[in-house]
């Protein structure tokens, strides 16, 4: 393996001190312009690459933010990451992105790796398996700023950004009630996740206010967020008596899966069965019928998370103030309802 070029090698080539090369690299006003140009030219010719870890050790800043999400192949997460990067890069920070694959074990290992890599802060959305949070408390104890994103935990004393899932689910359920739907089903995710519980709670509260009871036979809790499981849930719901005339899905990916299966079965949407989602996945706009949903400003939420984490990283205060932001989703009515 080829030995990496160091600033000492550049100094020897130019017959100047290591300190001079270092200052020239940092664009110090103490160094003449001609010397800076000579150093940069020699660095390019010798294919010099700075040791970022060494730089972070000396400056106590890595200029890197770690981001951990359950998956990157869903619109909400990928668009949120774009928002995070938009703010971070503008302020001179790089972003390291990891996906937990909905695994607590993998999530905990990633968080430890990020901390040991001396990232300046971590933005994290918990996996569906994450029920204990010692791995995050350990990071906070090391005074590494953490922002909890979308999937949060109230037991941790740190900043967080989340959607007002209860009010959003209530609004969508009310929309279905106003459409004259009598037997409204719910397809949710793992109830161990707070966000899943909150959306179900909003659904329940809307029915309660309309003087209706939740029909347990019309409530499905899935183990994962997949098209296939949503389609199977629709099959089960359609066998019930009475059949549902509407189904509210925890997320657009589930609504799309339910819609696909409904159309294969010859069910008319929305005449026989209205289908609604949550999240405003871009795919839902372009299928037929297009999916009614609760829109989340995922890009802007990512920007907000990045700004909060960077405020914490760059703060001179010994005690960083925690920030909690609750984002209201907006009803987007399309063809499926």
């Amino acid at each position: 393996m080829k030995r990496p070029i160091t600033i000492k090698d550049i100094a020897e080539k130019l017959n100047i001190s290591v300190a001079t090369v270092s200052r020239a690299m940092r664009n110090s006003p103490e160094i003449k312009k001609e010397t800076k140009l000579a150093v940069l030219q020699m660095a390019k010719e010798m294919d010099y690459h700075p040791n970022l870890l060494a730089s972070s050790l000396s400056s106590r800043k890595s200029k890197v933010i770690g981001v951990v999400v359950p998956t990157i192949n869903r619109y909400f997460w990928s668009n949120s990451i774009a928002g995070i990067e938009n703010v971070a890069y503008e302020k001179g920070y790089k972003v390291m992105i990891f996906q937990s694959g909905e695994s607590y074990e993998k999530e905990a290992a990633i968080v430890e790796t990020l901390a040991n890599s001396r990232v300046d802060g971590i933005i994290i959305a918990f996996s569906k398996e994450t029920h204990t949070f010692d791995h995050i408390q350990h990071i906070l104890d090391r005074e590494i700023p953490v922002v909890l994103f979308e999937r949060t935990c109230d037991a941790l004393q740190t900043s967080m950004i989340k959607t007002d899932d209860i009010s959003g689910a209530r609004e969508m359920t009310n929309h279905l009630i106003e459409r004259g739907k009598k037997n409204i089903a719910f397809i949710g995710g793992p109830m161990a996740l707070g966000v899943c519980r909150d959306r179900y709670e909003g659904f329940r509260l809307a029915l309660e206010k309309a003087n209706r009871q939740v029909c347990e036979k019309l409530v499905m809790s899935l183990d994962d967020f997949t098209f296939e499981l949503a389609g199977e849930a629709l099959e089960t719901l359609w066998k019930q008596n009475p059949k549902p005339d509407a189904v509210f899905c925890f997320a657009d990916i589930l609504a799309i899966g339910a819609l696909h299966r409904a159309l294969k079965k010859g069910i008319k949407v929305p005449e026989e069965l209205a289908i609604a989602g949550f999240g405003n996945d871009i795919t839902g706009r372009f299928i037929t019928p297009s999916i009614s949903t609760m829109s989340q400003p995922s890009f802007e939420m990512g920007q907000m998370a990045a700004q909060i984490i960077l405020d914490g990283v760059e703060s001179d205060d010994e005690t960083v103030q925690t920030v909690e932001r609750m984002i209201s989703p907006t009803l987007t009515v399309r063809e499926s309802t």
Side-chain angles (χ1 to χ4, degrees):
M1 183 177 174
K2 183 182 175 184
R3 182 180 70 83
I5 300 297
T6 67
I7 60 173
K8 184 179 179 183
D9 298 319
I10 297 171
E12 288 175 354
K13 277 279 188 180
L14 294 173
N15 197 27
I16 57 179
S17 71
V18 170
T20 299
V21 174
S22 178
R23 291 192 188 102
M25 293 280 190
R26 297 198 307 269
N27 197 27
S28 169
E30 300 172 22
I31 305 301
K32 293 179 182 177
K33 184 178 178 181
E34 296 78 8
T35 305
K36 290 179 188 176
L37 290 173
V39 167
L40 294 175
Q41 182 61 35
M42 183 59 67
K44 186 176 180 181
E45 288 176 11
M46 298 180 73
D47 195 28
Y48 166 76
H49 299 282
N51 185 330
L52 295 179
L53 180 58
S55 299
S56 70
L57 288 170
S58 61
S59 67
R60 297 197 173 186
K61 287 253 182 83
S62 65
K63 305 291 280 188
V64 174
I65 300 299
V67 176
V68 188
V69 293
T71 180
I72 58 173
N73 68 348
R74 297 284 181 264
Y75 180 75
F76 177 84
W77 302 119
S78 60
N79 208 38
S80 298
I81 289 168
I84 292 168
E85 289 188 316
N86 174 261
V87 170
Y89 279 95
E90 194 175 275
K91 293 184 175 293
Y93 285 77
K94 301 294 189 295
V95 179
M96 292 176 67
I97 302 160
F98 291 83
Q99 51 184 347
S100 66
E102 299 284 12
S103 163
Y104 167 75
E105 187 177 342
K106 188 174 179 183
E107 175 184 293
I110 289 168
V111 167
E112 186 65 19
T113 298
L114 286 170
N116 292 338
S117 300
R118 297 180 181 270
V119 295
D120 289 331
I122 297 173
I123 298 170
I124 184 167
F126 294 124
S127 80
K128 68 178 184 181
E129 294 180 356
T130 304
H131 312 310
T132 60
F133 305 94
D134 291 348
H135 60 309
I136 301 300
Q137 188 58 57
H138 179 56
I139 300 306
L140 294 171
D141 291 343
R142 292 167 67 174
E143 298 185 347
I144 298 171
V146 175
V147 171
L148 308 183
F149 187 77
E150 185 61 4
R151 298 184 186 180
T152 62
C153 167
D154 292 334
L156 294 167
Q157 296 299 307
T158 191
S159 295
M160 62 184 73
I161 296 175
K162 56 185 177 181
T163 304
D164 191 346
D165 291 298
I166 293 177
S167 68
R170 284 183 71 164
E171 186 171 0
M172 179 56 82
T173 308
N174 285 333
H175 164 68
L176 296 172
I177 292 169
E178 288 164 7
R179 284 287 199 263
K181 302 303 179 180
K182 305 296 183 186
N183 302 309
I184 304 173
F186 180 81
I187 300 178
M191 285 299 181
L193 268 176
V195 63
C196 294
R197 293 194 301 273
D198 285 349
R199 289 184 193 172
Y200 172 74
E201 180 65 4
F203 166 76
R204 187 192 67 77
L205 289 170
L207 291 181
E208 186 180 86
K209 189 170 183 182
N211 295 316
R212 300 188 192 181
Q213 296 294 318
V214 174
C215 177
E216 295 301 330
K217 292 189 297 184
L218 297 183
V219 175
M220 306 287 292
S221 295
L222 310 183
D223 292 333
D224 206 351
F225 308 99
T226 67
F227 298 110
E228 295 76 17
L229 286 177
E232 291 170 14
L234 190 281
E235 288 274 4
T236 301
L237 290 169
W238 202 245
K239 292 173 184 174
Q240 301 303 322
N241 185 23
K243 287 180 169 56
D245 55 7
V247 57
F248 172 35
C249 299
F250 166 83
D252 283 355
I253 183 174
L254 302 184
I256 293 166
L259 174 64
H260 177 71
R261 188 65 62 94
L263 296 178
K264 279 187 73 174
K265 291 179 68 64
I267 301 169
K268 294 178 182 177
V269 178
E271 294 83 3
E272 289 183 90
L273 181 71
I275 298 177
F278 202 115
N280 198 23
D281 191 302
I282 193 168
T283 310
R285 303 179 205 174
F286 301 111
I287 59 177
T288 302
S290 53
I291 298 287
S292 292
T293 189
M294 294 303 300
S295 298
Q296 295 170 276
S298 47
F299 184 84
E300 291 77 7
M301 288 173 73
Q303 289 181 309
M304 201 177 296
Q307 191 59 62
I308 290 171
I309 200 80
L310 293 179
D311 286 347
V313 167
E314 297 181 347
S315 173
D316 292 328
D317 298 338
E318 287 188 18
T319 304
V320 177
Q321 296 297 313
T322 60
V323 177
E324 183 172 333
R325 299 274 169 80
M326 183 80 82
I327 309 302
S328 297
T330 54
L331 177 65
T332 301
V333 178
R334 299 196 182 109
E335 298 165 342
S336 67
T337 60

